[in-house]
Amino acid sequence: MAFEAGQVLPEQIFRVTRADLVRYAGASGDFNPIHWSERTATAVGLPGVIAHGMLTMALAGQAVATWAGRGDAVTDFGVRFTRPVPVPDDEEGTKLSFTAVVKAADAESATIELTATCGGERVLAQARAKVRQV
Amino acid sequence: MPLDQSFNGRSYPPTAPYQVGREKIREFATAIGAADPVHHDLEAAKAAGYPDLVAPPTWPIVITMAALKQIVMDPALGVDYSRVVHGDQRFLYTRPVVAGDDLVVVNHIEEILSRGGHDFLTTRQEVRTTADELVVTVWHKTVVRGE
């Protein structure tokens, strides 16, 4: 779809379970135990196992791809990680929500500003994606 | 202990070439739920104008995170890895990564800051083909939490 400045994009919700963290660890090569070991996560002061920041960013990118209707649209993508995303050891896992506003758009490209929340708290700041429109 | 400021501005030699494989792209795309056929189906990627499967936008982390070890594992810089938190991340593309690319990572230390007892290490990583074509520039901010 072609983005227009000021457009508010529909919310997308992703569910992340421990199995998703293990799968992402293998695919990305990030085997930091805070993403799969409760013992290690709590020993370093975390509430429990947390999602890889880069998984949250990848899902934000996936939200952008869905809004854009294609997986090759992103030309510039940046985020700041502001809060950990705890993932409980159950079937439901945790819920990540993404919403966005189109800040600028022309015939060639559009800039999208995302809001990412988990349990009502923002987990990303300065989350922006530039996408091609052609 | 604060990071050694003399590392500011330092550049590193390119990493060993990494050949981007179709199955690695498919595996990564599956792990993040990226279902667009350009990541999975060769014909769809070709129809979209690419020579091979297209990697999702955060895919380069597979090689840039590994390349970052060249910097953060250097004991002289003084990063305590057990206190490291990921601060910021950005990917600025010249073109998407595609299967078959032979990629190297060239690391640069862009900024070292100490503030409020924490250290902030900003790196810029140029991901280039072995033919020296710039594909994507990656910024990564590492935060080393104070004691």
Side-chain angles (χ1 to χ4, degrees):
Chain A
M1 81 185 195
F3 295 111
E4 289 169 27
Q7 200 177 349
V8 177
L9 301 172
E11 182 184 34
Q12 294 187 52
I13 292 172
F14 293 83
R15 199 168 277 287
V16 178
T17 65
R18 289 282 177 93
D20 295 319
L21 301 189
V22 173
R23 192 174 295 112
Y24 183 78
S28 69
D30 182 349
F31 294 101
N32 188 331
I34 62 171
H35 305 305
W36 50 266
S37 161
E38 196 78 18
R39 177 173 53 85
T40 307
T42 51
V44 299
L46 291 165
V49 164
I50 62 166
H52 305 75
M54 285 309 302
L55 175 57
T56 301
M57 185 177 188
L59 295 176
Q62 185 46 30
V64 172
T66 301
W67 285 316
R70 53 195 277 205
D72 63 341
V74 172
T75 58
D76 188 358
F77 187 25
V79 306
R80 169 163 295 174
F81 302 102
T82 54
R83 209 178 272 277
V85 173
V87 179
D89 184 13
D90 59 27
E91 295 302 317
E92 276 74 49
T94 200
K95 241 169 49 177
L96 275 168
S97 150
F98 299 97
T99 56
V101 174
V102 180
K103 300 305 278 186
D106 60 27
E108 276 79 46
S109 67
T111 303
I112 296 169
E113 201 166 275
L114 290 100
T115 301
T117 58
C118 177
E121 310 247 40
R122 284 186 181 224
V123 294
L124 299 177
Q126 298 173 28
R128 279 186 205 99
K130 192 171 178 186
V131 295
R132 64 179 127 242
Q133 301 250 60
V134 285
Chain B
M1 203 177 73
L3 302 183
D4 182 347
Q5 292 280 342
S6 74
F7 277 69
N8 227 322
R10 190 170 291 202
S11 294
Y12 292 77
T15 55
Y18 176 103
Q19 186 173 71
V20 180
R22 278 181 197 156
E23 300 309 334
K24 194 67 196 174
I25 288 179
R26 289 183 177 125
E27 179 192 13
F28 188 90
T30 300
I32 65 168
D36 189 314
V38 294
H39 310 306
H40 300 277
D41 175 6
L42 189 55
E43 293 315 311
K46 285 185 171 165
Y50 298 100
D52 213 305
L53 297 186
V54 179
T58 63
W59 185 91
I61 200 71
V62 170
I63 54 174
T64 57
M65 194 81 101
L68 208 58
K69 289 187 178 147
Q70 199 182 32
I71 298 175
V72 298
M73 296 302 179
D74 183 345
L77 175 60
V79 173
D80 175 355
Y81 208 73
S82 71
R83 312 196 72 83
V84 159
V85 178
H86 197 167
D88 298 26
Q89 184 71 37
R90 181 182 173 200
F91 301 89
L92 175 62
Y93 278 92
T94 308
R95 65 154 172 88
V97 169
V98 292
D101 277 340
D102 279 304
L103 300 177
V104 300
V105 181
V106 183
N107 284 321
H108 306 274
I109 296 183
E110 207 162 77
E111 187 179 57
I112 298 175
L113 270 181
S114 280
R115 204 168 47 210
H118 308 297
D119 286 311
F120 300 86
L121 168 69
T122 304
T123 54
R124 186 180 81 252
Q125 301 176 292
E126 288 162 17
V127 178
R128 297 179 172 275
T129 65
T130 49
D132 209 31
E133 177 198 6
L134 178 64
V135 178
V136 53
T137 307
V138 180
W139 284 268
H140 184 119
K141 187 180 274 184
T142 301
V143 183
V144 188
R145 292 179 295 138
E147 300 287 326

